[in-house]
Amino acid sequence: MMTEEERASYRNTDNATLRENAKGVFYVHTLGCQMNVHDSERIAGVLEDEGYVPATAQQIEDKAIDLIVLNTCAVRENAAERMYGTIGLWAKLKRRRANMQIAVGGCMAQLDRQRIADKAPWVDAVFGTKNIGSLPRLLEQARMSGTPQVKVVDDLNYFPSQLPAARASKVSSWVSISVGCNNTCTFCIVPTTRGKEKDRRPGDILAEIRRCVDNGAKEVTLLGQNVNSFGYSIGDRFAFSKLLRACGEIEGLERVRFTSPHPAAFTDDVIEAMAQTPNIMHQLHMPLQSGSDSVLRAMRRSYRSSRFMNILHKVREQMPDAQITTDIIVGFPTETEEDFQKTVELVKEARFTSAYIFEYSPRPGTPAANMEQLPQEVVRDRFNRLLEVQEQITKEELQKFEGKDVEVMIIGTQGRKDADTHRVTGREKTGTLVHIGVPEGYPHPEVGDFVTATVTHAARHNLIADPNPLIGQTYEVRH
């Protein structure tokens, strides 16, 4: 098995002979959440270890691909439509490239299993969330038999983190600390697709983080469906805060984030660990879902609005600069106009930096799908009204950055280095996206560098820093 360093070298090679001798050129198309994004890194890692080569941008544009993998999401109502629509388009491509293979994995594969192979017989392999490592063998069997291969297991026999990973970023890494979910939210299909919650050993997590840092990562994001209930399975309610503090001891690790915590398990020791550990970022994404206690009960969410707001107050007491974001569902089957107004009022009080607002959509197999649904025009109206409120709050919160100096880790560059308009892009400590204009005659940072710059303008969903050091505005680069 290749090391991550060897895999990165292999991925970036321009050696034509290597590519000719490879099993094929592959591309992974990802739908859904951060967990899916990280799973796709594992899918790519498994394929590279088997001798496949990732497609270049030009090969993707030219459709010169031997294997396409769709990593699916099942959270939204239109998930199946998106999946079948995508693989339907790929069927046309396969008719032009007879030897091309198509594989479907992820949450929809976990749910639909044999139906995908029956409805889309041009798909060569279907694999679930718990058997990513089976993909190369399924592809080989499909090639030999000429028939679709399906393998979807319900029990977790190994953590996906045990598989090789082809990291999408050199400086930012996803690190899974648990898989699955023990909650029974009436709107959510995740426990069905991901299974019961299982935690990794803390030593294994820290070892993976150290490997990431050794390979150039300066930032990690800890992943879990309910990341802060880590350790509950063994009766250690302080395991997550201990893990955060242990991350603070890793030399070379500059930034640590985590997503997504559950309000019911968000304890004071986690807040203290965030505030007291220098490399834990003051960024919190915590799903609210609704500001109405009656809707939260119907959703089977194990907290109430007062509990949620109490957490926010404690976070801001210890970390006044914390940027807090959330998820909200509008139009849940039991939601009245009064319930909706309670959500609006809580949003105004909470002043989230941003919110992912979703129109409720029923997922087959969930209790809420069997409830009486609200008219679509009512749901859309509430979505638009809440979005308008949140957009104004986001604008006002971002404007508070204007004139302040922020430290930004660069994640991308654009434009010519010899042009006045050259820009770099990154995230400041609390996660806000910042576009920085490099002053003429000043050093141009690369991906992974840190730039301290003065924010000159707040855009709709990001910050602009076009500093002029000649008038005292800051622009400094740290490698």
Side-chain angles (χ1 to χ4, degrees):
M1 184 177 291
M2 289 186 288
T3 66
E4 291 191 17
E5 184 177 354
E6 291 170 333
R7 191 174 298 108
S9 174
Y10 180 61
R11 190 183 316 124
N12 295 328
T13 184
D14 291 323
N15 189 304
T17 303
L18 183 151
R19 289 185 176 272
E20 288 175 3
N21 293 335
K23 286 188 176 180
V25 174
F26 76 90
Y27 166 64
V28 182
H29 184 70
T30 308
L31 305 175
C33 65
Q34 296 98 328
M35 196 72 74
N36 267 25
V37 173
H38 183 44
D39 281 352
S40 290
E41 293 182 334
R42 299 293 174 185
I43 293 170
V46 166
L47 291 173
E48 289 185 22
D49 259 27
E50 288 292 320
Y52 290 85
V53 176
T56 64
Q58 189 62 52
Q59 286 172 322
I60 295 172
E61 183 178 343
D62 295 341
K63 306 295 191 295
I65 301 170
D66 303 301
L67 167 64
I68 306 180
V69 183
L70 179 63
N71 190 11
T72 62
C73 172
V75 172
R76 308 304 297 158
E77 181 183 22
N78 64 354
E81 297 173 10
R82 291 184 67 188
M83 178 186 68
Y84 285 113
T86 300
I87 58 179
L89 292 174
W90 292 353
K92 299 176 183 178
L93 178 60
K94 187 167 183 174
R95 284 194 287 270
R96 300 198 300 269
R97 295 175 58 85
N99 294 326
M100 190 186 84
Q101 289 190 295
I102 298 172
V104 177
C107 292
M108 281 303 301
Q110 191 76 26
L111 287 175
D112 275 9
R113 307 187 181 207
Q114 189 61 44
R115 183 167 175 260
I116 296 173
D118 294 340
K119 189 173 180 178
W122 58 90
V123 171
D124 298 276
V126 179
F127 61 103
T129 58
K130 303 180 185 70
N131 54 293
I132 292 171
S134 302
L135 177 57
R137 183 169 57 83
L138 294 175
L139 293 169
E140 185 63 28
Q141 289 173 341
R143 193 178 293 111
M144 294 175 63
S145 67
T147 58
Q149 301 295 305
V150 178
K151 183 172 183 179
V152 177
V153 298
D154 291 317
D155 296 325
L156 182 71
N157 297 317
Y158 60 86
F159 281 102
S161 300
Q162 295 174 240
L163 299 171
R167 304 280 181 180
S169 169
K170 294 180 180 179
V171 297
S172 298
S173 296
W174 305 102
V175 175
S176 177
I177 70 170
S178 64
V179 295
C181 180
N182 290 339
N183 292 314
T184 57
C185 301
T186 56
F187 58 82
C188 187
I189 198 68
V190 167
T192 302
T193 60
R194 294 282 179 177
K196 291 292 185 180
E197 185 172 316
K198 292 188 177 181
D199 297 334
R200 292 178 68 193
R201 291 165 55 91
D204 293 341
I205 297 168
L206 294 170
E208 181 181 350
I209 294 173
R210 291 189 185 98
R211 289 195 299 272
C212 291
V213 173
D214 290 343
N215 288 317
K218 297 182 179 180
E219 173 184 77
V220 298
T221 301
L222 307 177
L223 291 177
Q225 298 296 153
N226 299 293
V227 69
N228 56 322
S229 61
F230 175 76
Y232 279 32
S233 61
I234 60 172
D236 186 355
R237 299 180 68 86
F238 300 100
F240 184 59
S241 60
K242 292 176 185 176
L243 181 64
L244 292 179
R245 293 184 186 276
C247 287
E249 301 298 320
I250 297 177
E251 186 175 352
L253 181 58
E254 302 237 10
R255 293 183 173 184
V256 179
R257 308 182 194 278
F258 58 87
T259 193
S260 291
H262 194 288
F266 207 95
T267 49
D268 291 350
D269 60 294
V270 173
I271 299 174
E272 292 167 1
M274 289 178 66
Q276 296 169 7
T277 310
N279 63 356
I280 307 298
M281 297 298 96
H282 297 175
Q283 175 185 4
L284 178 62
H285 180 82
M286 188 165 63
L288 167 66
Q289 305 304 6
S290 175
S292 164
D293 288 350
S294 64
V295 173
L296 290 174
R297 279 192 291 271
M299 289 179 169
R300 220 179 281 161
R301 299 287 285 178
S302 51
Y303 58 89
R304 298 296 172 256
S305 58
S306 59
R307 160 76 175 161
F308 188 94
M309 289 305 302
N310 187 44
I311 294 170
L312 264 58
H313 291 320
K314 289 182 177 179
V315 168
R316 285 172 170 151
E317 281 177 5
Q318 296 199 41
M319 294 167 281
D321 64 330
Q323 300 297 304
I324 301 173
T325 58
T326 195
D327 298 333
I328 299 173
I329 296 172
V330 296
F332 188 77
T334 66
E335 184 185 74
T336 65
E337 177 63 23
E338 181 182 359
D339 292 324
F340 172 70
Q341 287 300 326
K342 289 179 180 178
T343 298
V344 172
E345 292 307 311
L346 190 147
V347 166
K348 290 179 179 178
E349 181 184 356
R351 298 197 63 81
F352 301 111
T353 305
S354 65
Y356 296 95
I357 304 172
F358 303 94
E359 298 178 29
Y360 171 76
S361 58
R363 294 302 298 126
T366 62
N370 297 322
M371 299 177 182
E372 183 177 353
Q373 306 296 306
L374 299 183
Q376 185 57 42
E377 59 271 20
V378 172
V379 178
R380 175 53 57 91
D381 175 66
R382 290 177 184 173
F383 172 86
N384 289 333
R385 287 153 60 195
L386 184 59
L387 180 63
E388 183 179 359
V389 171
Q390 181 56 56
E391 288 283 274
Q392 181 61 34
I393 294 171
T394 296
K395 176 182 177 181
E396 293 168 0
E397 291 301 305
L398 290 179
Q399 285 175 342
K400 294 178 181 179
F401 282 96
E402 291 182 347
K404 293 183 178 180
D405 290 349
V406 293
E407 184 183 63
V408 179
M409 191 182 83
I410 303 304
I411 59 175
T413 61
Q414 61 187 56
R416 301 193 317 274
K417 289 188 177 182
D418 59 350
D420 293 342
T421 56
H422 177 69
R423 285 189 179 279
V424 294
T425 296
R427 294 192 182 276
E428 57 89 39
K429 289 184 176 182
T430 57
T432 305
L433 193 67
V434 185
H435 301 298
I436 303 173
V438 179
E440 185 176 1
Y442 281 77
H444 294 266
E446 302 294 339
V447 171
D449 287 344
F450 291 84
V451 175
T452 300
T454 303
V455 175
T456 54
H457 176 65
R460 186 176 179 185
H461 294 119
N462 55 68
L463 301 174
I464 305 295
D466 288 337
N468 182 353
L470 297 178
I471 61 172
Q473 293 176 326
T474 302
Y475 178 84
E476 300 171 353
V477 178
R478 175 169 66 88
H479 301 292

